[in-house]
Amino acid sequence: MRDMLFINGQWTAPAARGRFEVCDPATGEVFAQAPLGTAADIDQAVAAARRAFDKGPWPRLSGHERARYLRAIADRILADKDRLGLIEVRDNGKPLPEAVWDMEDAAGCFAFYAGLTEEMDGDQGEIIPLQDARFQSKVVREPIGVAGAIIPWNYPLLMAAWKVAPALAAGCTMVLKPSELTPLTALELAAICEEVGLPEGVLNVVPGFGSDAGQRLAQHPDVDKLAFTGSVPTGSRIMQMAAADIKNISLELGGKSPFVVFADSDIEKAVEWIMFGIFWNQGQVCSATSRVLVEESLYPRLMERLVAEAAKIRIGNGMEDGVKLGPLISETQHAKILGMIEKGVAAGATVVHGGRRPAGLDAGYFLEPTILTDMDDDNLVWREEIFGPVVCVRPFKDEAEAIRLANDSPFGLAAAVMSDDLDRCERIARAFRAGIVWINCSQPTFTEAPWGGYKKSGIGRELGRWGLANYLETKQITTFNHRERWGWYIT
Ligand code: NAD
C-alpha cells in the first residue's frame, strides 16, 4: 500500500508525519494505513498545482498532446483493472464484479475526455455576429486554472475519474482529496500518472479528513475552481467557504429518487430494475431510486415478486463469488441506517423484508436488502436520503398522483418511469423535476451524457461536454476593425 502523498510529481511524506487507518467493511478490521494529509500538505499541493498551471507545460500543450497522457492513463487502468478492483473491494466493500466494472468505467472516462480535448485543437474560437459592424467579437475557451476536487467513498476511483479526466482535458491542474474512508485507489491513480510521465504538479493527491484537508482545499485562495461530490450538508458548507473568494463551484449532492411503475409494465422487468435501482452498490448510490411508486392494480403482485427476489440476493464479502450485496461502508452508516428504519417503523412504516443484520454475518457492516411500505408523506424514510439498500414502496391511483408524489421532495437528482406506453413515459419524464430520467430502466450511466440534479441535489453538470465546460472559462476577444477614429473625445 502507498504510504505517501503525491505532490508535485513526488511521493511526499505528510507534513505532520501522520497516518490513518483504513478499514475493510466486510470484516470491520483495519487492513491498511494511509498517509494523513493536513492543511499544510494541501498548501504544498495547491502551490505545486499553481506552478504547474502558471509556468508548466500542461495548459500550453495541444489537445492532442494532452490526449496522449489521458489515453495512457485509461490504458493503464484497464490493464490493471483486476488488481485495482480488489483494492476497491477491500476499501469500499462492493462486490468484485461491480468494482471491476467501475474500473472499466473510469478508464472509459479518461478515454472519452481524451477525445474531447483533441476536438478542442480545431477550436479557433467562435465569431459572434454583432449589431455594430465596426467591431468583431471572437469567443474562446480557456482552462479555469487550479481545480480542487473533493470526492465521496461510494465510487472511489470512478468519482475521481469524473473530475480528474475533464479537468486535465481542459488544461487545468488539480488537487484531489479522496474520502478518508476510501483513500487507496486515488493514490493508485497518482502512481499511474507518475508512470505515464504526467508533468509534475498537474495532478496532486492528498488523502485526509474533510474537517482539515478538505476544508483547507475549499478555502484556499489559489484554487480557482472547486468540484465537490458528497452530502447536502457538506455541499452547503463548501458553498459558504467558496463564497469568500467567489470560487467557481460545482456540486453533485444527494438524492431521494422516485421510480414510477405503471400497471402495463412487464412485472419481471419492473422487479429487476427496481432491485438494480436500490440494491446495486448496497444502495449507496446518489441516484438510487429509493422511492418506488406502483400503480394500485399491480401493487400486490409486484410486492410479492419483489420480496421473493430480494430474499434470494446473496449477501457477503464482496470478494466471494456470487455475492450481490456487500457490507455498508462503515459502522457509523450501519448504525445510522438501522436507526432510520426504527424511526420509520415507529412513525407507521412496515418492514416487509429485511431491516436487520443478516444471520451469520456478525462481523462487518452487513444489512439485509430492506423493503418498507405503509409510510405517509412525512415519514423520514420516505423523505430523507438513507444511502443504503432500503427501498420504500407505495401504491398510487393515477398519473397525476404519481407525479405529485414523485416531485414532492427537496431533492431532484434522478427519477425513473416504467410503462409499455412510451408516450406516457415521455410525458412523465418531462414532468419529473430531476436532472436525470430513466425510462424503462434505472441507473445506467454514460460518460457522454450530463449528470447532475435539480433542487438540493446540486449545481452544475458533470460528464459529457458539460463536464469539460466545468473546467473552462469563456473569454470574448473584441476587435475594433474600423478605419475611422472612435471619435468620442477627439472628434
Ligand atoms: P460527505 O459529504 O460526508 O463527504 C464527501 C467528501 O467531503 C469527503 O471527501 C469528505 O472528507 C469531505 N468533507 C467532509 N466535510 C468537509 C468539510 N467541512 N470541508 C471540506 N470537505 C469536507 O459525503 P459522503 O458520506 O462521503 O458521501 C455520501 C453522499 O454523497 C451522499 O449524500 C450521496 O448522495 C452523495 N453523492 C452524490 C453523487 C452525485 O453525483 N450527485 C455521487 C456520489 C455521492
Side-chain angles (χ1 to χ4, degrees):
M1 294 294 166
R2 306 188 186 270
D3 58 359
M4 303 265 222
L5 311 172
F6 189 68
I7 297 177
N8 203 34
Q10 308 288 325
W11 292 99
T12 308
R17 308 274 151 189
R19 303 262 179 275
F20 64 99
E21 295 180 335
V22 186
C23 177
D24 180 342
T27 60
E29 282 164 13
V30 173
F31 74 99
Q33 301 281 330
L36 176 63
T38 56
D41 301 299
I42 291 289
D43 287 351
Q44 290 290 320
V46 172
R50 185 84 261 162
R51 273 193 311 276
F53 186 79
D54 291 344
K55 304 200 174 92
W58 191 252
R60 286 159 270 282
L61 293 180
S62 71
H64 278 74
E65 286 167 318
R66 283 202 294 272
R68 272 208 296 276
Y69 289 96
L70 295 178
R71 289 223 167 79
I73 295 171
D75 290 347
R76 301 246 167 172
I77 295 175
L78 215 47
D80 213 7
K81 65 179 181 180
D82 294 325
R83 187 183 67 87
L84 293 171
L86 284 169
I87 297 175
E88 206 81 307
V89 175
R90 289 213 81 185
D91 215 1
N92 166 281
K94 63 180 70 196
L96 184 58
E98 291 189 27
V100 173
W101 194 354
D102 288 358
M103 300 304 112
E104 289 165 0
D105 251 11
C109 185
F110 279 97
F112 173 77
Y113 282 105
L116 283 200
T117 193
E118 280 172 347
E119 279 175 24
M120 284 172 70
D121 277 346
D123 183 3
Q124 299 298 316
E126 186 189 349
I127 304 296
I128 303 294
L130 301 173
Q131 290 179 25
D132 188 335
R134 292 172 302 170
F135 296 88
Q136 191 188 57
S137 269
K138 181 169 77 167
V139 175
V140 295
R141 296 181 307 161
E142 296 179 346
I144 282 187
V146 173
I150 300 179
I151 57 171
W153 44 261
N154 60 341
Y155 289 93
L157 188 74
L158 189 58
M159 288 296 106
W162 281 23
K163 293 180 171 36
V164 176
L168 267 47
C172 290
T173 58
M174 181 166 255
V175 176
L176 169 69
K177 193 207 83 62
S179 166
E180 54 272 40
L181 294 171
T182 53
L184 301 182
T185 44
L187 291 168
E188 295 298 322
L189 177 62
I192 287 172
C193 290
E194 184 188 29
E195 276 169 39
V196 305
L198 193 73
E200 63 188 32
V202 172
L203 177 67
N204 306 272
V205 179
V206 182
F209 287 86
S211 54
D212 185 349
Q215 200 149 312
R216 180 62 182 152
L217 188 55
Q219 289 175 324
H220 202 295
D222 253 349
V223 170
D224 303 299
K225 152 90 197 176
L226 194 67
F228 172 77
T229 298
S231 63
V232 172
T234 311
S236 168
R237 232 169 287 142
I238 296 266
M239 211 170 163
Q240 288 167 35
M241 288 190 268
D245 292 313
I246 320 289
K247 258 192 229 337
N248 179 314
I249 54 169
S250 43
L251 303 174
E252 298 291 345
L253 308 177
K256 188 77 185 173
S257 301
F259 190 166
V260 176
V261 180
F262 285 93
D264 61 355
S265 305
D266 176 311
I267 191 165
E268 297 305 307
K269 285 185 188 160
V271 168
E272 162 108 74
W273 283 114
I274 290 170
M275 290 171 68
F276 195 74
I278 190 63
F279 299 141
W280 174 253
N281 206 34
Q282 293 67 245
Q284 301 168 136
V285 182
C286 50
S287 56
T289 34
S290 51
R291 290 187 297 139
V292 174
L293 292 153
V294 184
E295 196 169 5
E296 260 175 357
S297 59
L298 182 67
Y299 182 81
R301 277 189 300 133
L302 184 132
M303 280 305 257
E304 200 178 302
R305 286 291 301 123
L306 185 59
V307 169
E309 288 302 319
K312 290 187 205 158
I313 293 178
R314 174 139 179 238
I315 313 169
N317 190 319
M319 298 284 189
E320 289 166 21
D321 270 355
V323 162
K324 288 267 165 60
L325 192 77
L328 301 177
I329 187 70
S330 66
E331 196 166 4
T332 311
Q333 276 300 105
H334 192 256
K336 181 180 154 199
I337 294 175
L338 284 174
M340 288 180 87
I341 295 171
E342 203 177 310
K343 280 192 197 147
V345 169
T350 306
V351 178
V352 288
H353 182 77
R356 292 164 312 181
R357 176 185 278 281
L361 287 170
D362 300 327
Y365 313 126
F366 294 95
L367 176 67
E368 289 172 334
T370 299
I371 303 168
L372 304 177
T373 189
D374 296 333
M375 66 291 298
D376 60 26
D377 292 6
D378 298 327
N379 194 313
L380 90 162
V381 291
W382 182 254
R383 297 210 71 79
E384 292 180 20
E385 184 180 44
I386 296 179
F387 221 57
V390 182
V391 64
C392 297
V393 193
R394 287 175 67 168
F396 68 86
K397 282 191 178 51
D398 56 22
E399 206 173 297
E401 187 190 21
I403 293 169
R404 181 186 67 73
L405 288 170
N407 285 338
D408 181 21
S409 168
F411 298 106
L413 185 57
V417 56
M418 180 168 275
S419 168
D420 259 3
D421 177 348
L422 287 180
D423 289 338
R424 168 154 68 186
C425 288
E426 180 71 23
R427 199 163 58 238
I428 303 263
R430 299 298 180 117
F432 282 143
R433 298 279 301 149
I436 303 149
V437 174
W438 287 288
I439 294 178
N440 290 337
C441 61
S442 171
Q443 304 308 313
T445 300
F446 300 95
T447 313
E448 301 82 358
W451 183 270
Y454 288 18
K455 301 193 256 181
K456 276 194 180 174
S457 291
I459 297 178
R461 295 291 179 272
E462 292 196 301
L463 297 182
R465 56 190 160 81
W466 300 266
L468 187 69
N470 266 334
Y471 298 95
L472 292 170
E473 283 283 18
T474 300
K475 177 184 275 180
Q476 62 144 306
I477 302 174
T478 295
T479 309
F480 183 56
N481 273 334
H482 203 51
R483 256 184 273 120
E484 305 291 314
R485 284 215 307 267
W486 181 228
W488 186 266
Y489 291 106
I490 303 171
T491 50

